[in-house]
Amino acid sequence: MKKKLIFFLLGTILLLTSLPLSTKMVMELIHNQKMNREYKVTNVNEGSPPTSSAFRFKGHIVEIKETLKNEDGYVDPWSNKIRMADLSLELDGAKIDTLRDYPIKVEEKGLNRYYGEIAYLLLEDKKSSKTQFIVLLKKTREFKKEMPNGYIVGGAPTEKLKYTLYSLDEEGNLNTKSFSFTERNGLQTKLLNDSFMVPYSIGYYTDAWEVYPSIFFPFIFPFVTLVVGFVLIVVFFPIRKVKK
């Protein structure tokens, strides 16, 4: 009886420790399937050759204008020469947003100058077959530098990362929405990943699927431990026999 109780308690511990994360991971899989079923996201920036920062969408022109500051720049940890600039986002020549004293990669061309800071995306709603043009701006400035000891400093904590999303539909209507790294919906999460404007790949319910897999995680824990815990509870559930 004592051995049976020990196995039951072991199963309970395994189940309780595995259930929260495994539930979120299953929810994340379902969510990703839903996003892929409903939307198609295309990153306009092809990298090479450089994509122009002036983009025409349904007769409208979205463009980034920049004014470089007369000050020395620096080299970031990835060997990009960085200088400060005032950036203006314009729609058909009208200014709709400004990023002041913003770090840009001055030796790059087109949208590559703003990689990781500004993104152009095409968002197709598969159900309605309508497409929106998305401009995603990272409002939080980061000045990343590598120290002599190899540490990278100047990055903002994730809870400080702020974004603004502009969406231009096929009828020419412009909408805007501001959100943060810590407070975002499922579609915003997908857009952040597809635009490479987050420090690492992120999930909506959990980031667990984004880590490098090993035999232990996520195979043994939390899914094998969840099943083993459930089996132990069922098999060794303490049932008191009723005397006749």
Side-chain angles (χ1 to χ4, degrees):
M1 183 66 184
K2 187 176 181 180
K3 184 182 293 185
K4 187 174 183 180
L5 180 61
I6 291 174
F7 279 114
F8 173 77
L9 292 176
L10 177 61
T12 302
I13 293 172
L14 289 175
L15 183 69
L16 292 179
T17 55
S18 305
L19 187 60
L21 181 57
S22 60
T23 300
K24 287 184 177 181
M25 292 178 73
V26 171
M27 291 171 63
E28 186 69 23
L29 286 177
I30 296 172
H31 169 76
N32 288 339
Q33 291 175 356
K34 179 176 181 290
M35 288 290 102
N36 292 330
R37 186 170 60 250
E38 294 182 355
Y39 300 103
K40 177 183 177 182
V41 178
T42 303
N43 194 326
V44 172
N45 187 9
E46 298 178 349
S48 181
T51 302
S52 172
S53 61
F55 189 83
R56 182 179 292 273
F57 178 76
K58 304 298 180 180
H60 300 277
I61 298 178
V62 178
E63 188 173 8
I64 297 172
K65 297 287 185 65
E66 66 177 54
T67 303
L68 282 172
K69 297 298 183 72
N70 294 322
E71 57 186 60
D72 294 333
Y74 63 92
V75 177
D76 72 9
W78 301 274
S79 301
N80 298 303
K81 186 175 181 180
I82 306 297
R83 282 183 60 187
M84 300 302 111
D86 289 341
L87 305 178
S88 297
L89 177 64
E90 298 184 0
L91 173 62
D92 296 330
K95 187 183 298 184
I96 58 176
D97 206 334
T98 301
L99 300 173
R100 299 194 181 279
D101 297 318
Y102 214 77
I104 66 170
K105 303 172 179 65
V106 291
E107 294 182 341
E108 297 290 342
K109 302 294 183 182
L111 287 176
N112 290 343
R113 295 168 74 86
Y114 322 116
Y115 180 82
E117 315 292 336
I118 300 175
Y120 287 1
L121 305 162
L122 292 173
L123 174 63
E124 178 188 348
D125 187 320
K126 293 182 179 180
K127 185 176 181 179
S128 65
S129 297
K130 291 188 176 182
T131 300
Q132 298 180 68
F133 179 66
I134 303 293
V135 180
L136 196 53
L137 307 178
K138 186 169 75 174
K139 288 289 191 172
T140 306
R141 297 180 303 166
E142 296 184 280
F143 307 98
K144 295 181 180 180
K145 299 179 182 179
E146 186 173 359
M147 304 300 288
N149 60 7
Y151 286 104
I152 296 176
V153 299
T158 54
E159 61 270 17
K160 298 291 185 180
L161 293 177
K162 308 292 183 183
Y163 302 89
T164 297
L165 184 153
Y166 289 93
S167 58
L168 180 66
D169 65 23
E170 295 180 352
E171 286 72 40
N173 300 309
L174 182 68
N175 294 297
T176 180
K177 178 71 175 179
S178 294
F179 62 97
S180 67
F181 183 92
T182 54
E183 295 183 8
R184 48 186 159 80
N185 61 33
L187 180 56
Q188 290 164 352
T189 301
K190 180 174 178 60
L191 293 173
L192 284 176
N193 280 326
D194 290 345
S195 63
F196 307 105
M197 289 179 62
V198 280
Y200 49 85
S201 295
I202 55 176
Y204 180 53
Y205 293 103
T206 176
D207 298 337
W209 289 112
E210 308 300 333
V211 303
Y212 192 80
S214 66
I215 295 178
F216 177 75
F217 184 87
F219 303 108
I220 295 178
F221 180 83
F223 294 109
V224 172
T225 51
L226 178 72
V227 173
V228 171
F230 179 77
V231 171
L232 289 176
I233 290 175
V234 172
V235 173
F236 295 100
F237 189 83
I239 301 176
R240 181 175 296 178
K241 294 182 179 180
V242 180
K243 294 182 179 180
K244 295 183 179 180

